Amino acid sequence: MADNDRTSLHGLWTSRWAFIMAATGSAVGLGNIWKFPYITGENGGGAFVLIYLLCIFLMGVPIMMAEVMLGRRGRRNPVDSMRHLAEETGHSQLWRFLGWMGVTAGFFILSYYSVIAGWAISYVFTTGSGTFSGADAALVEQHFDTLTQSPLTLILWHSLFMLITMIVVAHGIEGGIEKAVRFLIPALFVLLIVMVLYAMTTSGFAEGLRFMFSPDFSKISTEGVLKAMGQAFFTLSIGMGAIMVYGAYLPKETSIAQTSFIIAFADTSVAVLAGVAIFPIVFSNGLEAGSGPGLIFVTLPLAFGNMAFGTFFGTLFFILLVFAAWSSSISLIEPAVAWLIENKGVSRIKASIALGLLTWVFGLGTVFSFNEWSDVTVFDKTFFDVLDYLTSNIMLPLGGVLMAIFAGWLMKREASQDELALGRGAYLTWRFLVRFVTPVAVTLVFLNAIGVFS
Ligand code: TRP
């Protein structure tokens, strides 16, 4: 058997849809519904959204294709896939550090992701108990503050979320995710539409739309540009090996380009719908668009508290958000779990428990960022801010661009042509994007953010 026909140790996806579902499950998560609105709000709206969209299609999609391709050719965890591909193409073994950087980034992200997902779990219960019925802005803001000021409560929900993540990972990721995501993403979509319909009835709808879609470049800082790019990587789950691992389980005949487009399209639609639902609520209630990580936990309860059947829709919404976060969190830890199994001969269950505990402990840093340690800052950033900044804005773009460089410059042309199986024009476009556009763009954005051009 030729080496590139080798299949993965963990089996293959049962169908193209299984892969699309799992990858979309990974992509759609807190990044779309929690992070996208709040960082759009912090970075002035329209211009940020435009740059984000450009980054999705000019860098995100081609890099996603490169990452899936590297995974499918490597057929292992990211560290060993990179090591193997470097060997196959006669390049330095140092490429395995790209895998390591990804494993580390995934671990960092999950540690805080789980804490925020914990907020969402807690909101299932608060919304479900009718607490927000008829609530005004002061009440929901106060509820959010009380929650984030209580480390013990945050730890409780963080623990629960880590536990459910590790249970799925311990079982092997193929079966469950596929079934859950199949109804989850469509259901989330429908609920977001309900929210948008509600937003249309509020007085701030036009202003919300204007905020999101009319770009005013004077409102975006050089760092805002970096954040828009970082968000594009974060939301698509690219640059750390999550998609590479999922690609490792992908059958040879599946079209990488087509699946990548479907995933990016679904992911982007969810984020844009979330923004369209949230900003009108911000403006109709005189809230602050740039209020930070609490944005959806204040705006959404306000909407649910004041719409018909709000308790029902609200509870369902937060349940779906937890599921969306769950199907993402799994992919953040799967590369590390796959590495432990493949290299240390550890069982899947043991690997999951060990890594889960480690992530849980690290997550405590994020818990305390919102209360006890909120004054402990480096460059004005809390522990949580540092993790988020380092992973989204530095590690993911760097990882993604190195994958693009590997796929575009180091892999043999015949190999990528064979893997992607595209028409000539499409292939050349992809190759141009990964060879030139993405490395140059990422470099410029990095330099710009550290002030080289100002
Ligand atoms: N994309 C997910 C979200 O938007 C988060 C996520 C899951 C992720 N896996 C990833 C981000 C891998 C970066 C890399 O919520």
Side-chain angles (χ1 to χ4, degrees), residues 35-376:
K35 199 172 178 194
F36 174 72
Y38 102 72
I39 60 174
T40 299
E42 283 180 339
N43 290 284
F48 181 87
V49 174
L50 185 66
I51 298 172
Y52 159 83
L53 291 174
L54 283 175
C55 290
I56 295 271
F57 290 100
L58 291 180
M59 307 197 223
V61 173
I63 290 182
M64 183 184 279
M65 290 169 62
E67 184 167 345
V68 175
M69 177 174 84
L70 295 179
R72 186 164 74 182
R73 241 183 141 71
R75 290 280 190 225
R76 296 163 176 87
N77 66 76
V79 177
D80 292 305
S81 282
M82 287 317 300
R83 187 206 310 273
H84 168 76
L85 290 170
E87 200 170 76
E88 185 187 69
T89 50
H91 291 96
S92 163
Q93 291 294 304
L94 290 176
W95 280 96
R96 71 180 186 281
F97 286 106
L98 173 54
W100 277 118
M101 183 170 73
V103 168
T104 316
F107 166 76
F108 283 167
I109 296 173
L110 182 57
S111 78
Y112 78 74
Y113 204 83
S114 167
V115 176
I116 313 293
W119 298 357
I121 306 182
S122 119
Y123 272 66
V124 170
F125 296 99
T126 345
T127 313
S129 66
T131 309
F132 299 126
S133 289
D136 58 10
L139 190 134
V140 279
E141 276 173 339
Q142 167 160 20
H143 178 83
F144 180 73
D145 289 339
T146 311
L147 173 71
T148 46
Q149 288 314 311
S150 162
L152 277 179
T153 317
L154 297 185
I155 291 174
L156 177 83
W157 298 121
H158 162 53
S159 311
L160 181 63
F161 187 79
M162 272 316 296
L163 185 74
I164 61 174
T165 299
M166 297 336 286
I167 289 176
V168 176
V169 176
H171 276 94
I173 54 161
E174 296 85 359
I177 307 190
E178 187 180 344
K179 287 196 205 84
V181 173
R182 211 177 266 269
F183 88 90
L184 166 84
I185 306 278
L188 192 63
F189 232 90
V190 171
L191 263 192
L192 278 171
I193 306 243
V194 171
M195 297 301 297
V196 171
L197 291 177
Y198 170 77
M200 287 169 82
T201 69
T202 65
S203 58
F205 190 64
E207 194 177 351
L209 286 190
R210 214 175 313 121
F211 180 76
M212 267 190 77
F213 298 114
S214 86
D216 173 354
F217 285 91
S218 67
K219 286 210 209 132
I220 191 163
S221 62
T222 52
E223 209 176 83
V225 177
L226 177 69
K227 288 182 182 162
M229 179 178 80
Q231 173 65 6
F233 284 81
F234 184 88
T235 193
L236 294 176
S237 299
I238 56 176
M240 66 142 283
I243 291 294
M244 200 187 286
V245 168
Y246 282 6
Y249 314 147
L250 188 67
K252 184 81 170 76
E253 42 315 324
T254 310
S255 159
I256 292 180
Q258 201 186 23
T259 48
S260 300
F261 265 106
I262 296 176
I263 297 161
F265 185 76
D267 184 76
T268 309
S269 325
V270 173
V272 170
L273 278 180
V276 173
I278 283 160
F279 286 110
I281 304 170
V282 170
F283 295 115
S284 8
N285 291 280
L287 300 171
E288 182 55 59
S291 63
L295 188 66
I296 66 156
F297 294 98
V298 172
T299 47
L300 292 178
L302 259 182
F304 297 131
N306 295 291
M307 68 200 255
F309 309 107
T311 300
F312 170 76
F313 284 132
T315 312
L316 191 59
F317 184 88
F318 283 113
I319 291 176
L320 290 172
L321 182 59
V322 172
F323 273 99
W326 195 2
S327 60
S328 302
S329 61
I330 291 159
S331 72
L332 285 163
I333 200 75
E334 177 65 15
V337 170
W339 181 84
L340 267 184
I341 301 173
E342 287 166 23
N343 287 279
K344 299 288 164 203
V346 197
S347 70
R348 190 168 257 283
I349 299 201
K350 284 208 184 108
S352 309
I353 296 176
L355 287 166
L357 279 176
L358 200 66
T359 319
W360 180 83
V361 172
F362 216 70
L364 299 180
T366 293
V367 165
F368 296 128
S369 294
F370 293 98
N371 37 68
E372 316 293 332
W373 297 352
S374 58
D375 299 330
V376 185

Side-chain angles (χ1 to χ4, degrees), residues 320-438:
L320 290 172
L321 182 59
V322 172
F323 273 99
W326 195 2
S327 60
S328 302
S329 61
I330 291 159
S331 72
L332 285 163
I333 200 75
E334 177 65 15
V337 170
W339 181 84
L340 267 184
I341 301 173
E342 287 166 23
N343 287 279
K344 299 288 164 203
V346 197
S347 70
R348 190 168 257 283
I349 299 201
K350 284 208 184 108
S352 309
I353 296 176
L355 287 166
L357 279 176
L358 200 66
T359 319
W360 180 83
V361 172
F362 216 70
L364 299 180
T366 293
V367 165
F368 296 128
S369 294
F370 293 98
N371 37 68
E372 316 293 332
W373 297 352
S374 58
D375 299 330
V376 185
T377 53
V378 201
F379 291 120
D380 225 20
K381 289 183 166 55
T382 61
F383 184 87
F384 157 72
D385 296 329
V386 170
L387 278 187
D388 175 39
Y389 195 92
L390 183 72
T391 50
S392 293
N393 303 338
I394 301 170
M395 294 169 95
L396 298 179
L398 191 62
V401 119
L402 289 172
M403 291 175 196
I405 291 175
F406 193 94
W409 291 97
L410 306 187
M411 254 174 99
K412 290 203 187 64
R413 190 176 171 138
E414 302 77 62
S416 58
Q417 248 166 346
D418 174 50
E419 287 287 341
L420 295 178
L422 289 170
R424 192 180 146 76
Y427 176 77
L428 290 178
T429 310
W430 170 81
R431 195 169 154 88
F432 178 72
L433 290 172
V434 290
R435 279 166 74 102
F436 300 103
V437 176
T438 53

